Amino acid sequence: MLDVVALGELLIDFAPVSTDAAGYPTLAAQPGGAPGNFLAALQKYGCTTALIGKVGADRFGELLKATLAEKDIGTRGIVADPAVFTTLAFVTLDATGNRAFSFARKPGADTCLRADEVDTALIDEARVFHFGSLSLTDEPARAATRAAVAHAKEAGKYISFDPNLRRPLWPGEAAAKEQIEWGLRQADIVKISDEEIAFLWGLSPEEGAGKLLAEYGVQLVYATLGPRGCHFANRQGCGEVASPAGIRVVDTTGAGDIFGGSAMSRFLKTGKAPAALTVEEMRAITRFACCAASLSTQSHGGINSVPEKAAVQALLEA
């Protein structure tokens, strides 16, 4: 039995480590992709996981699969396709460590996953099925994702969704909103940022969380607030947790995904339905996730930046 199976992009993040006299950056390759980052946190904190997706039959694809295997994330559902390149993302960082992305994805392997390539037996083995909006940007991956979600719902799995908005990957705002709205309506558990709530509805995080609970059928919402922390809510109540102070931010790449995976790991330990969590249980889950995500920003990359559980516990106690 698996705790969580995710579907979506597995890619290489190229992040700047220095700049030459002419202004050209020296880049370091890091394993990433939101679902991979999400699963790496889950695996680090005691859960069993697997990824469904597609990479190129190239050296980067081989490296990514090897990295997941080293993290004990199941790779049976990853297809290596010789017809396309492994997706690449180029990250730029500002003075505070916040990142922006440019993608080599026209197409990238992740967008080429077909419905007949989805290993539905992995979904059958899982307690939770997770996906994000990047697998909804292009066909055939969009159809594959929708088929996988339908299979998971029919099998009675909890559905987890992260909008993970990347504007350059969409043909326009209307297309992004349409597909993200579809994803939100499928989900039991949603991790969404304050920026994504503003993009979709022009609402505050608290209002957006309430809208998801009242109108979308979502049972549990984490509305992240960047460096300020996170607002959490279900039908039992809501609250807010501040991020820990004193964290020196190097790179925020993957921090939201690591928050989501960390929160999911703590949620699964409760053994309860998402709608049944008390406010104090949600607060404890969110505190752990905020600490894990904050610590992850002290190093570069996504998959490799998940902090050890002992470091998270020490920060919680401090």
Side-chain angles (χ1 to χ4, degrees), residues 240-255:
E240 190 169 307
V241 169
S243 292
I247 300 295
R248 179 179 174 273
V249 176
V250 173
D251 181 1
T252 60
T253 303

Side-chain angles (χ1 to χ4, degrees), residues 24 27 56 70 89 94 104 110 135 150 185 190 192 242 281 291 309:
Y24 290 96
L27 303 173
E70 289 168 8
D94 66 18
D110 71 293
S135 59
R185 293 189 185 279
V190 167
I192 188 170
E281 286 170 329
C291 287
K309 184 178 178 181

Side-chain angles (χ1 to χ4, degrees), residues 2-247:
L2 293 166
D3 290 310
V4 181
V5 167
L7 181 150
E9 70 279 5
L10 186 62
L11 52 79
I12 301 289
D13 286 319
F14 287 94
V17 293
S18 63
T19 305
D20 69 13
Y24 290 96
T26 299
L27 303 173
Q30 297 279 356
N37 302 335
F38 180 88
L39 295 182
L42 276 153
Q43 199 73 41
K44 177 81 81 172
Y45 304 134
C47 297
T48 54
T49 66
L51 181 67
I52 297 169
K54 181 175 277 193
V55 295
D58 51 36
R59 183 57 179 150
F60 283 139
E62 293 169 1
L63 284 169
L64 287 166
K65 289 185 68 175
T67 295
L68 292 196
E70 289 168 8
K71 306 291 185 187
D72 293 323
I73 299 168
T75 60
R76 190 181 85 200
I78 300 175
V79 178
D81 189 340
V84 287
F85 289 111
T86 297
T87 303
L88 309 177
F90 296 89
V91 185
T92 55
L93 303 172
D94 66 18
T96 64
N98 284 316
R99 75 283 179 273
F101 293 92
S102 300
F103 292 86
R105 193 180 185 242
K106 297 180 181 180
D110 71 293
T111 68
C112 298
L113 181 71
R114 303 191 310 269
D116 63 284
E117 295 173 316
V118 173
D119 188 342
T120 54
L122 280 174
I123 299 172
D124 293 335
E125 295 173 29
R127 297 168 65 186
V128 177
F129 176 77
H130 174 78
F131 72 110
S133 73
L134 266 67
S135 59
L136 297 172
T137 60
D138 296 271
E139 295 291 0
R142 182 186 302 152
T145 303
R146 287 180 174 243
V149 171
H151 183 93
K153 290 178 77 72
E154 186 175 350
K157 310 300 180 180
Y158 287 128
I159 307 296
S160 167
F161 179 65
D162 181 352
N164 195 28
L165 177 64
R166 298 287 178 265
R167 293 176 191 249
L169 296 179
W170 296 95
E173 289 191 358
K177 289 179 179 180
E178 177 185 359
Q179 296 302 323
I180 290 172
E181 291 261 8
W182 179 86
L184 292 170
R185 293 189 185 279
Q186 312 310 308
D188 302 296
I189 301 170
V190 167
K191 195 283 291 179
I192 188 170
S193 73
D194 51 356
E195 293 178 352
E196 289 157 350
I197 289 172
F199 168 76
L200 289 169
W201 309 303
L203 300 176
S204 70
E206 297 79 9
E207 292 168 335
K211 184 179 182 74
L212 287 168
L213 294 172
E215 300 177 25
Y216 287 72
V218 177
Q219 297 184 42
L220 174 61
V221 180
Y222 305 104
T224 56
L225 311 173
R228 294 187 292 119
C230 179
H231 175 82
F232 60 82
N234 70 1
R235 289 180 176 82
Q236 307 297 323
C238 63
E240 190 169 307
V241 169
S243 292
I247 300 295

